[in-house]
Amino acid sequence: MTKFDSARSMRVTATFGARFELCESDDHAAPVVPARAKGKRLRPVTGDWVLARPLPGETDWQVESVKTRENELARTDSRGRREILAANVTLMIVVVSSRPQPDWFVADRYLAAAELMPSRAAIVWNKSDLGEMPDAVRTYQAIGYPVIETSIVSAAGIDALRELMQGESSIFVGLSGVGKSSLINALSGSDLQKTSAISSANDEGRHTTVAARLLNFRNGVTVIDSPGVRDFAPALIEPARVAQGFREIAEAADHCRFADCTHRAEPNCAVKAGVESGSIDERRYRSYLRLAQLNRQLASQRF
């Protein structure tokens, strides 16, 4: 390829600071090449489609531009700054399990992020051999999220999960130790990702994935394995949009007396009425209030 050749469309499969890995398609056989960006202002993330060309006399490719993103999975850091974790996601899979103990507020925030991106979302109740599916997961199922029970021990649910992911650009998210990397290994049929045992001292997971990595499997599945977390909050949004992250609350909000209802103390609030009647889960409502408050706190720390 000469300097007159056109740049080629490539997908970012991993980022390591100023270094990247690229492949030309989502085909499992597509070779992965190392790359760096042209200029410091270019900041590709895993899942991005970019234009790149090989550098003469080097093994590196050069990323020249980032194509327009369909969406972004972004979070707010402790200083209120927006950090993009991945791009062009069509299916967010929130993995929860009985061990480590689930943090349903974190799961709710991932689902809120999916609603706001927007992206489809599903729940995986992993390690189902260790305990029955809890009511919180049944609540997600009742409001329309697909739920799959999986077990690496028995292979239960793996085929159903693989079928759900066909044709999607998926991302696995969740607490450290819930088994995301083990699920990826089961889906791929090989040990692509390292796994780690739960820490017995505090029942918390150990981080085995240190950077988001996009993987293409021979069976047509594309998935981003994201690092495990102990907390998560979607990127700062307008206060009025926080409710849009909770689909059942957003639906009820259309019937509130005031268009700018915050669903806290206003009269004739359809959301509060739904909580009182039981049509809206009380824990999900409290989760909405917590995220709205966190959003306000983080916004106040930006300056």
Side-chain angles (χ1 to χ4, degrees), residues 32 42 46 61 80 82 85 92 100 109 119 126 134 139 141 169 175 198 211 219-220 226 240 256-257 272 276 295 302:
V32 174
L42 275 181
T46 302
W61 285 54
R82 192 170 192 269
L85 305 177
M92 183 185 297
R109 291 172 188 174
S119 165
N126 195 28
T139 296
Q141 199 167 33
S169 183
L175 299 180
I198 299 292
N219 51 34
S226 68
C256 289
R257 177 179 178 181
K272 290 191 298 179
E276 291 171 3
N295 197 64
R302 293 177 67 181

Side-chain angles (χ1 to χ4, degrees), residues 11-16 19-22 43-50 69 71-73 84-89 169-171 211-215 222-227:
R11 194 164 196 195
V12 180
T13 59
T15 62
F16 309 96
R19 304 283 301 173
F20 313 97
E21 290 181 355
L22 312 175
R43 297 181 180 274
V45 299
T46 302
D48 266 330
W49 286 97
V50 301
R69 293 166 176 158
N71 57 30
E72 299 171 342
L73 172 59
I84 302 172
L85 305 177
N88 302 315
V89 173
S169 183
S170 305
I171 185 169
R213 179 177 289 277
L214 185 147
L215 302 163
T222 295
V223 61
I224 297 174
D225 186 15
S226 68

Side-chain angles (χ1 to χ4, degrees), residues 173-250:
V173 296
L175 299 180
S176 302
V178 294
K180 298 186 299 295
S181 295
S182 295
L183 283 171
I184 285 176
N185 289 340
L187 288 164
S188 68
S190 61
D191 292 335
L192 292 176
Q193 297 292 78
K194 293 180 180 179
T195 60
S196 178
I198 299 292
S199 169
S200 59
N202 54 18
D203 202 35
E204 293 182 344
R206 299 170 181 163
H207 296 273
T208 53
T209 302
V210 296
R213 179 177 289 277
L214 185 147
L215 302 163
N216 297 311
F217 301 159
R218 186 182 300 274
N219 51 34
V221 169
T222 295
V223 61
I224 297 174
D225 186 15
S226 68
V229 300
R230 293 197 175 100
D231 200 2
F232 172 82
L236 284 173
I237 55 176
E238 294 297 322
R241 292 196 65 219
V242 175
Q244 299 300 313
F246 295 76
R247 54 174 58 173
E248 71 276 37
I249 292 176

Side-chain angles (χ1 to χ4, degrees), residues 46 128 150 221 285:
T46 302
S128 59
T150 58
V221 169
Y285 173 65

